[in-house]
Structures are given as structure tokens and as C-alpha cells.
Amino acid sequence: MPAYICGVGLHAPANIANHDLEARVETSDEWIVTRTGIRQRHIAQGEVTSDLGTQAARAALADAGLDAADVTHVICATCTPDSYCPNTATQIARKLDLAAPMALDLNAACSGFLYALQMARALTTLEPGATVLVVAAEVLSSRVNWTDRTTCVLFGDGAGAAVVRAQPAARAIEIVDAMLESDGSHGGLLTILGGGSARPYAPGEPVGDDFFVQMNGREVFKVAVRSMTDVCRRMLERHAMTVDDLDMFVAHQANLRIIEAVGKKLDLPAHKVFANVQRYGNTSAASVGIALAEGCADGTFAPGGRVLLTTFGAGFTWGAVLLQF
Ligand code: UT7
């Protein structure tokens, strides 16, 4: 059964530049740009994850030419939910005034958008009349340690959304294939531990550093490049394709050096390698969703083109999705 992305949308709150971070931690615009390519990121001011997700969802529904009443399922990919309970998907559904959809959160960290697309594809196979709202939304700023320069300069807030159906609509991007993988043995290299059952807090106990993102950046960098390159190679092989058959390549937007390294290893010409990490920083699950919506809006992804998406995140989780525009 084919499945189609019928609409895409994004939302990002106000942005802050690298220079604004120089007052918070010992860092510089020069270091951040040289090591990561990031020039600014967006930071929520009083908005929660479901607020960002709801805005992106509205944009995606408008893009699809559909009403909120058409939605049957909401999947929210996030590792920074509004709360443990209730889940963020139910709050997005409430804010959109949806009529009792199935609503669940999914945590695959930075791979969340691709994992959610595959779940949506499965749901449209089981229920061919389904209209699945995929929302990848993060308020990473709520789980970033603003005294830790090795992480706080990297992340940003934002949301990307897609409407997935078994039938094409005005916008009809076919989800041709998905390969999604994980390896929990590297789990300790990128974590948000505090508050989980393995690291509970007693009432009144102050949160520690483990409440926030902690990352061994150098190790994550190496595995990220290796994993995304490998899964993309296998995806191309599975479809008897070469990079010449791709029109654009979109990797998880964590670091321009990682994006360029994967592009080089795959022998992709630079003009086929998408990058907007300069303007958003690392928005985790939302990253590729935002890229997809932005690229559709500005014509980067043209009708008839083939686009390969790939992600890598905590867990580790990674994967690739092949799209036919
Ligand atoms: O989203 C999930 C996937 N996440 C990723 O893919 C992130 C992967 N990792 C990375 O992107 C990079 O490893 C980082 C951007 C996190 C770090 O870049 P790096 O080139 O690997 O730098 P480094 O960690 O080796 O640090 C180099 C130096 C260190 O100083 P010393 O020990 O050499 O004296 C750091 O203390 O840079 C220092 N440093 C900073 N200096 C100024 C670290 N953060 C900063 C900072 N400003 N913000």
C-alpha cells in the first residue's frame, strides 16, 4: 500500500544569535560557527512543546487542504514532551479541537520524525481511510543546561509536521521506503536521565546535571557519520539507485560538519546536500520535519524529484526514508 505526505508545515519561535549566548557561557560566535555551522537557533518563550506542534500541524493541514476534523490519528515525536502524563499528542489534539483521535507520543530522539512517518505509513495500511497527523516538536531549551557550553549552544526549539494518507492529495509526496534502526548499547553517550525510573528524584530534591542533555560530542559525531552513511548506502542499493538518481539529500541537522561528512562519504555533490542547521541549530526530532516543510515552501524539493532523508539520535536510533515528490 503506498502512503503519501499530503501536507507539511513548520513552526519556530523567536530566534537568538550566537552572540546572545556569549553572555551566558564562555563561548564565541567564531567557535560555534567553525565547529557546528550554527549561527542562530529558536528558543520558546512561554510556549510549550504542544504549542509549537499545534502551530506546525495547522500549517500542515492548510498545506494539505484538509480540516482538523479529517484527522483520525496524531503521533507526536518528541523527547521534550509537555509532561510525562498526559502525553503531548493529546494536548495537540485538544488545541486543534480534534474529535477523539488516537493520540500517542513516540520518543526516538532525533530520529523521531522518520520513526513517526513509518508508524503513520503502517496505520494507513491498517486503516486505509486514516488521516494521520505526524508532529515532531521539541522545546530542547527546557532540558538544556544553560551553564554547559558543550551542549547549550547546539540545540534549538521548533516543530515540523506532516499529514500522511493512503491517497494522494494536492501535495502528494510518496513515502517509497523506510529503514529504521537502533543500538541501545551506546545509550550512555547522549542522555537526559533525570526524572526517569532509573534516576528518580525524591520530593524536594534539587535537580542535578543529569536532568539535562549530556553528550560525549566527539563519540556521537563519529557514530552519527558512520550510521547515516551506512543506512543511506543500503537504502540506495535496495532500490538499485546511485546518488545520481537523488535530487536532494537531507540529513539530521545537528552539525554542518556531520552533514557535509556524510554527503562526501556518499559522493554527493554539495548542491544536493540540504542544510538549514545554520538557522535552527539541532531541533532533535523536529529537525528533518522542519527541513521538509522549509524545502517544500521554497521550492528546493521540486515535483518529480527523489529525496533521501536520514537521521541519527540518542539511543542510538537512526534511519533513512526515501521520498518521491
Ligand atoms: O542530535 C543527536 C546527534 N548529535 C550530534 O550529532 C552532535 C555530535 N557532536 C558534535 O557535533 C561535535 O562533537 C560538537 C559540536 C558537540 C563539539 O565539536 P568538536 O569539534 O567535537 O569539539 P570538542 O568536543 O572536541 O571540543 C573542542 C574544544 C574543547 O576544549 P579543549 O578540551 O580542546 O581545550 C571544548 O572544551 O572546544 C571546547 N568547547 C567550546 N569552546 C567554546 C566545547 N564547547 C565550546 C563552546 N565554546 N561552546
Side-chain angles (χ1 to χ4, degrees):
M1 281 275 295
Y4 299 89
I5 296 173
C6 299
V8 290
L10 73 88
H11 178 71
N15 61 298
I16 66 166
N18 290 344
H19 286 302
D20 300 322
L21 297 177
E22 291 171 0
R24 293 194 184 202
V25 285
E26 198 184 328
T27 191
S28 64
D29 175 58
E30 194 267 334
W31 189 95
I32 301 170
V33 172
T34 312
R35 301 288 178 133
T36 71
I38 298 166
R39 293 182 180 275
Q40 64 165 51
R41 78 285 297 132
H42 299 255
I43 301 293
Q45 308 287 342
E47 289 166 293
V48 299
T49 302
S50 61
D51 293 327
L52 305 188
T54 300
Q55 300 262 36
R58 282 207 180 98
L61 285 166
D63 188 49
L66 294 170
D67 291 327
D70 297 315
V71 174
T72 53
H73 305 71
V74 181
I75 305 175
C76 179
T78 186
C79 59
T80 53
D82 291 5
S83 55
Y84 275 109
C85 283
N87 73 21
T88 304
T90 58
Q91 299 314 298
I92 292 171
R94 175 177 65 82
K95 289 171 185 177
L96 288 171
D97 248 340
L98 305 186
M102 175 176 147
L104 78 152
D105 285 7
L106 173 162
N107 181 353
C110 304
S111 297
F113 185 72
L114 295 194
Y115 269 59
L117 278 185
Q118 176 75 329
M119 297 308 293
R121 197 170 167 229
L123 284 166
T124 59
T125 303
L126 279 170
E127 299 176 43
T131 296
V132 186
L133 190 51
V134 167
V135 183
E138 302 280 13
V139 178
L140 261 311
S141 60
S142 66
R143 284 295 188 130
V144 154
N145 183 343
W146 289 102
T147 65
D148 175 10
R149 68 175 184 173
T150 67
T151 51
C152 75
V153 303
L154 307 173
F155 295 98
D157 302 335
V163 179
V164 177
R165 305 220 291 179
Q167 303 82 24
R171 190 184 286 290
I173 307 164
E174 185 181 352
I175 304 171
V176 177
D177 198 4
M179 294 169 78
L180 298 159
E181 301 172 351
S182 72
D183 179 356
S185 64
H186 298 294
L189 293 176
L190 177 48
T191 57
I192 305 178
L193 295 171
S197 62
R199 178 57 184 101
Y201 287 112
E205 186 186 345
V207 299
D209 288 350
D210 61 6
F211 183 76
F212 304 102
V213 175
Q214 295 183 304
M215 176 167 69
N216 179 334
R218 280 186 207 180
E219 286 309 309
V220 173
F221 191 114
K222 285 187 252 175
V223 191
V225 172
R226 205 166 54 230
S227 305
M228 288 192 282
T229 305
D230 176 62
V231 74
C232 288
R233 281 202 181 118
R234 284 184 285 119
M235 177 64 92
L236 291 172
E237 273 167 31
R238 185 145 106 173
H239 292 269
M241 289 169 64
T242 72
V243 288
D244 295 339
D245 301 310
L246 286 179
D247 294 274
M248 277 308 277
F249 171 71
V250 183
H252 171 49
Q253 304 288 303
N255 184 326
L256 195 55
R257 287 161 54 214
I258 295 178
I259 297 164
E260 288 174 351
V262 177
K264 271 207 182 98
K265 280 181 181 292
L266 291 172
D267 282 330
L268 276 154
H271 71 271
K272 288 189 182 179
V273 179
F274 181 95
N276 67 3
V277 66
Q278 302 91 328
R279 286 174 286 112
Y280 291 93
N282 181 349
T283 57
S284 191
S287 136
V288 169
I290 289 173
L292 188 61
E294 200 173 74
C296 283
D298 70 14
T300 302
F301 309 131
R306 269 188 281 196
V307 177
L308 185 59
L309 312 176
T310 184
T311 55
F312 180 85
F316 292 139
T317 60
W318 66 91
V321 165
L322 182 62
L323 299 177
Q324 173 69 59
F325 277 66

